[in-house]
Amino acid sequence: MTKRLITTFINYIFSRILAPRVLEVIKYASLHEKRVFNSNGMLTIGESTEVLNGLFNLSSGNIKIGNNVSFGHNVSCLTGSHDIKKFGVERQGYPFSGNDIIIEDGVWIGSNVTILGPCKIGKNSAIAAMSLVNKINVPENCLYGGIPAKFIKPLVN
C-alpha cells in the first residue's frame, strides 16, 4: 500500500507541477536558442542584438552581425553553398570561404527570412518577413522584401 501511495504521489507531482514547467522551458529554448552549424567560419554578434531561434551556417564564410539588430523567428543565415554543375559525391563538397554575410547596425530582419552569402545588409535597413536575400547588397535605410528580395522603398526617419 505504501509503495502505491508513493507512486501516486510522484505521478501527481510530476503531472501537475514538474511537467508543465519542463514544457515551458522546452518551448522557451526552442524559441530563443540560436543554432550554429559548422565552425569553418566565425560568428560575431554585436551588443543589444536580439537573435531568436536563428540558424547560422558557417561552412563557407564568416557572419558578422552589428549592434542593435533584431531577428524575427526562424531566420537562416547561410554561407554554405554547393556547385550544382557537379554530380554525385562531388556535389556534396562546398567552398570553405568567400560567402561572408555582414549585417550592419540597426537592421531589422522579419520572421522566416533566408540570407544567402555573400551579401551585406546596410545600416538601419529592414528585410520583410519570408524574404530571400540572395547574394545581393542591401543599401542603408532601405526596405527589401520578396523572393528574391528586391528594393521596396527607402526608410526615412
Side-chain angles (χ1 to χ4, degrees):
M1 182 76 162
T2 307
K3 217 177 199 183
R4 184 174 171 185
L5 184 61
I6 291 171
T7 303
T8 303
F9 177 72
I10 289 171
N11 285 337
Y12 174 82
I13 294 294
F14 182 76
S15 65
R16 299 289 181 170
I17 297 171
L18 295 178
R21 291 176 193 230
V22 168
L23 288 175
E24 286 302 314
V25 168
I26 291 169
K27 285 180 191 175
Y28 181 86
S30 67
L31 293 174
H32 292 87
E33 290 298 316
K34 63 184 173 297
R35 296 170 319 272
V36 179
F37 177 76
N38 209 320
S39 59
N40 289 338
M42 187 168 70
L43 173 63
T44 306
I45 299 176
E47 293 180 22
S48 300
T49 289
E50 183 179 287
V51 176
L52 297 172
N53 58 333
L55 170 64
F56 300 96
N57 178 322
L58 302 170
S59 297
S60 301
N62 300 315
I63 299 174
K64 182 180 179 189
I65 303 168
N67 300 320
N68 305 309
V69 175
S70 293
F71 280 71
H73 291 286
N74 302 314
V75 173
S76 297
C77 295
L78 310 174
T79 66
S81 115
H82 297 274
D83 187 347
I84 62 170
K85 295 175 186 169
K86 294 181 179 179
F87 295 95
V89 176
E90 287 182 347
R91 186 179 281 174
Q92 293 175 351
Y94 53 88
F96 292 106
S97 63
N99 288 332
D100 294 348
I101 296 172
I102 300 168
I103 301 171
E104 294 187 333
D105 296 344
V107 171
W108 176 79
I109 300 171
S111 293
N112 297 305
V113 168
T114 299
I115 302 170
L116 301 177
C119 73
K120 179 179 176 181
I121 301 174
K123 288 183 182 179
N124 301 313
S125 288
I127 307 298
M130 299 188 68
S131 296
L132 170 64
V133 179
N134 187 9
K135 301 178 183 179
I136 61 170
N137 290 326
V138 174
E140 293 182 3
N141 303 307
C142 291
L143 172 62
Y144 270 63
I147 301 174
K150 294 184 180 352
F151 175 78
I152 296 174
K153 67 179 185 177
L155 298 175
V156 188
N157 288 340

